[in-house]
Amino acid sequence: MRTQIVSKSFLSLAAALALAVAGACSTDSPTEPSRPPATPPDGGGGGTGAFSVVVTANPGTVAAGSDDPVLITVRATRDGQPAPDGTLAVVTALEGSFGAVGGPQTATVELTNGVAQVAFFPPVDEEQSVVVQATVAGAVGQTTIDVAGTTTFFVSHVEPASGSPQGGDTVTVIGSGFEEPVRVLFGGVNAQVLSVGANRIRVRTPPSPGAPNETETVAVSVTINVNEEETATDTVAGAFTFAPGGGDVRQPAIFSVTPTTGPNEGGTQVSIIGEGFQSPVQVRFCNGDCVEAQVLSVVGGRLEVRSPPATGFGSVLRDQPSDIQVTNLNSGLSTTFTDAFRYGVDLQVTGLSPDVVEADDPQLVTIFGSGFESPLVVTVDGVQQQVTSVTGSEVVFRPSARELTGCGTVTQNSDVQVRLLNSGEEAGGLTLIFRTEIPQPQILSVTPNTGNPNGNQNVNIGGSGFAAPVRVLFGGAAAQVGTVTPTNVAVTTPPLAGGLPTVACTTGTGQQGTRTTSQAVNVLVENLATGCEDVLPGGFTYTPANTNCVPNPACSDGIDNDGDGSIDAADPGCAGGPADGDETDPAP
C-alpha cells in the first residue's frame, strides 16, 4: 500500500460551498455572465496595472470515487488593492464541473472585496491532476487539484470542524484509503469510531484535552490497520476546534495588508484582507510588545483598522517592521501576519523576482522591499524603466529590451535602483540579469567527407546553431553556399588551392617516380550576422583520381642510366633536357 501524507485546512466548507454555489452563474449559459458586468471591460477600479489573480483549492487532494466538492477561491488585486465589487471572474476547467456533478465546465462569479468562491466537482474516476483556471480582465491564475488513487491513504479534513469542549458531537473525518481497524485521535485523545468507509470515518468526539470552558484547536490523527503489519498514520494539524457553545467557529487567516507602511505617529487606515474574521475582533501591531489598533469595520473577509502610534507604550515599534495579529474574541482563535507593516517608511529594497529576464523580450519584474510610494523612478544601468504598479512593499516594472553580443548563452548583469521623487531617497544594490541565446555553430558531420580536388561537389554540413547568412571555408577557400537551416548547410566545394601534394616512389620495375596523395583540410562555418563560428579540423579530404607511382623522366631521375659516369643534364644523351627521356640517347 502507498501512503501519502497530506495536511489540509478545511474550515466550515459546507457553508462556504453553499454560498459559492448560490453565487455561481446559471448552467444555461455557463460562459456568459447572467447580467451586464458591473465594471468596465478592463476591470474598472481606476488602477493602471494588470490584476494579480490567485486561485486556491480546499481541499487540494480528493480521493478517487469521492463525491465531495472542492471549494475554489479566487482572489484578485491590482496595485495592492482588492478588485472592485462586481468585477467578474471566469473560472474554467477542462475536466470536472462547477456547481453540481454534471454541471458546466465554466462558471462566472462576482468578486466581493476582491474574493469569490465556487464549488467544483473534479472527475474522480481515476488518479490524475486537474487544473482550474480563473481569468479576471485578461489576468490569469490557476491551481491544481490532485485526485488520489483509492488505495492512497491520507486525511483531508473534518466536517464539521468545531464542536463542544465536552465532546459527544458526531463528526466525519474525510480522506482516503481508510482500512479497519482504525484509531482516531483528537488532540491525542481517542474518539469513538462509529463507522468506517474507504473515504469517511464517522466518530463521536472526545472531551477537549484543554480546559472545559476554553477554546482549543487540536490535530486529528488517523491510524489504519491498527496492530497489523501495514499500519500507517496521518495527521492534520489544527483540523478541529473545541469551542464553548460549539457552533460556527472559524480560524482567521490574513492574505494581504495594504498599505504596508505608515508614520510613527500612527493613524494610517489599513485594509486587512483574509478570511474567518468573526466580530468582535481584536487587532494588534506587535514587535515583541503589542499595541492594539482601532477596528473601524469587519465586513466578510475584510478588516479596516487604524494603525496605533509607535511613540507611546510599545515604542519598540518606532521605525521598525511590525507583525499584525487578528484575534476572534469569542473563540480566542488568532492569526499573525509577520512583518506586515513598517513604521517610519524607510526606503529599502530586498530582492527581485524574476532576477533573470530575456534580453529581447523582458517580462515584468517585481522589486520587493519597503517604503515604496508613488511617484518613483526605477532605473536599470541608469536608464529609466516603465513602472506598472506600486505598493508599499512591491514595485512592478517592465525592463526595456537590449541587444547583447557574443556566442551561445550570453548574459549581462545590470544594476537596479529605486528613487522616490518626493523625498529624493534612493535604494539599490540589486542585480538584474539579461540573458539571450545567440546561435553558436557546431559542426557534427560533413557528407560526403571526400571529393575531387577540382571542387564542384555537393556536400551537406550537419550540426546545430547555423543561421543564414553563413560563410563556409574549405582549407581557406570559400565554398558556394546553398540552402541553410539551423541543422544543415548545403554547399558546393571549391577547388583545392595549389593542387594535391606528391611524394617520391619506386615503380615495380625499379624506376624512380612520384605519387599524388590526398589532402585533408579544415572546414569552417561562420554565422555572418554574429561572427560566431566553428571549425572541424580535417573535416574534408581532397583525393586524387590516380594514386599510381608515375616514373620520372630518365634525364631527371638522378640515376646514371647508361653507366658512363654522367647523370641527367651532365650526360650528353640529355642535351635536349629532361624530356629526352633516356641518357643512352645519342647527343643531338
Side-chain angles (χ1 to χ4, degrees):
M1 179 181 357
R2 181 166 61 92
T3 300
Q4 175 177 323
I5 305 301
V6 180
S7 296
K8 300 291 180 186
S9 172
F10 195 86
L11 304 176
S12 304
L13 177 59
L17 285 177
L19 292 174
V21 172
C25 221
S26 167
T27 59
D28 293 337
S29 180
T31 59
E32 296 292 333
S34 58
R35 59 184 176 84
T39 57
D42 67 350
T48 58
F51 281 111
S52 174
V53 180
V54 177
V55 184
T56 57
N58 193 358
T61 302
V62 298
S66 170
D67 57 1
D68 291 330
V70 173
L71 180 63
I72 301 298
T73 301
V74 181
R75 298 182 179 87
T77 58
R78 180 164 61 188
D79 300 337
Q81 300 294 330
D85 289 353
T87 299
L88 299 179
V90 179
V91 191
T92 60
L94 295 179
E95 298 182 275
S97 58
F98 292 95
V101 176
Q105 290 180 302
T106 299
T108 302
V109 293
E110 287 188 3
L111 300 174
T112 302
N113 294 324
V115 179
Q117 294 179 317
V118 63
F120 176 66
F121 293 82
V124 292
D125 54 342
E126 62 181 12
E127 188 170 352
Q128 60 180 303
S129 294
V130 181
V131 176
V132 177
Q133 178 175 288
T135 303
V136 179
V140 178
Q142 67 179 34
T143 188
T144 300
I145 301 166
D146 292 324
V147 179
T150 55
T151 60
T152 302
F153 167 54
F154 68 90
V155 178
S156 174
H157 61 282
V158 178
E159 295 180 1
S162 60
S164 169
Q166 283 71 44
D169 294 309
T170 300
V171 300
T172 302
V173 181
I174 308 297
S176 179
F178 298 146
E179 296 183 9
E180 295 187 274
V182 301
R183 180 172 58 239
V184 181
L185 303 180
F186 282 64
V189 181
N190 274 306
Q192 179 185 359
V193 176
L194 302 177
S195 65
V196 179
N199 302 320
R200 297 169 181 267
I201 304 174
R202 291 180 65 251
V203 302
R204 184 167 288 121
T205 59
S208 170
N213 295 317
E214 293 184 359
T215 298
E216 182 83 10
T217 299
V218 299
V220 174
S221 297
V222 174
T223 301
I224 63 173
N225 299 318
V226 176
N227 297 326
E228 296 181 358
E229 182 177 350
E230 293 185 338
T231 186
T233 300
D234 191 21
T235 301
V236 179
F240 189 82
T241 299
F242 292 99
D248 182 17
V249 179
R250 303 180 191 174
Q251 170 64 49
I254 300 174
F255 302 134
S256 66
V257 173
T258 306
T260 58
T261 59
N264 288 314
E265 292 74 22
T268 302
Q269 183 165 331
V270 178
S271 298
I272 303 172
I273 307 300
E275 66 182 8
F277 303 141
Q278 292 180 300
S279 188
V281 299
Q282 179 189 57
V283 179
R284 301 196 300 170
F285 285 55
C286 305
N287 187 340
D289 293 331
C290 293
V291 183
E292 187 167 349
Q294 178 188 0
V295 178
L296 302 177
S297 65
V298 183
V299 180
R302 185 187 187 99
L303 292 178
E304 294 289 339
V305 302
R306 200 174 302 283
S307 66
T311 53
F313 175 75
S315 60
V316 292
L317 300 177
R318 176 187 290 274
D319 297 325
Q320 296 295 320
S322 168
D323 301 341
I324 292 182
Q325 181 187 83
V326 175
T327 302
N328 292 341
L329 293 178
N330 285 340
S331 67
L333 296 178
S334 67
T335 186
T336 299
F337 199 63
T338 58
D339 293 337
F341 187 86
R342 181 178 177 82
Y343 283 98
V345 203
D346 288 339
L347 176 64
Q348 60 176 344
V349 293
T350 58
L352 294 173
S353 180
D355 57 5
V356 180
V357 297
E358 296 302 318
D360 58 347
D361 186 21
Q363 65 194 97
L364 290 174
V365 174
T366 300
I367 304 173
F368 298 101
S370 63
F372 301 138
E373 60 181 19
S374 293
L376 56 74
V377 170
V378 174
T379 60
V380 177
D381 288 341
V383 179
Q384 184 171 337
Q385 308 294 302
Q386 177 191 1
V387 176
T388 62
S389 67
V390 178
T391 68
S393 59
E394 296 181 7
V395 176
V396 180
F397 74 98
R398 186 180 299 280
S400 52
R402 58 182 59 195
E403 184 176 349
L404 303 183
T405 59
C407 300
T409 300
V410 182
T411 61
Q412 182 183 89
N413 293 352
S414 298
D415 179 61
V416 179
Q417 297 280 336
V418 177
R419 178 165 58 89
L420 304 183
L421 294 182
N422 289 336
S423 65
E425 289 184 86
E426 294 186 354
L430 302 177
T431 299
L432 179 63
I433 301 174
F434 289 88
R435 176 183 61 193
T436 191
E437 292 290 335
I438 299 177
Q440 169 63 60
Q442 182 179 16
I443 303 173
L444 299 178
S445 64
V446 177
T447 308
N449 61 359
T450 61
N452 192 293
N454 297 324
N456 201 33
Q457 179 169 339
N458 294 329
V459 170
N460 285 307
I461 302 173
S464 62
F466 303 137
V470 301
R471 180 176 66 143
V472 179
L473 301 181
F474 280 65
Q480 180 181 346
V481 178
T483 303
V484 178
T485 71
T487 58
N488 189 81
V489 178
V491 299
T492 302
T493 60
L496 176 64
L500 292 172
T502 59
V503 296
C505 61
T506 303
T507 68
T509 60
Q511 291 181 282
Q512 298 298 308
T514 57
R515 176 182 289 111
T516 304
T517 63
S518 300
Q519 176 68 53
V521 297
N522 297 342
V523 177
L524 176 146
V525 176
E526 177 187 7
N527 292 344
L528 293 176
T530 62
C532 299
E533 64 180 38
D534 188 33
V535 176
L536 182 62
F540 187 83
T541 301
Y542 288 99
T543 59
N546 184 0
T547 59
N548 295 328
C549 185
V550 179
N552 296 331
C555 288
S556 61
D557 62 0
I559 299 174
D560 183 6
N561 292 293
D562 56 5
D564 63 358
S566 299
I567 299 174
D568 294 342
D571 193 300
C574 293
D580 281 359
D582 192 340
E583 294 178 351
T584 62
D585 291 343

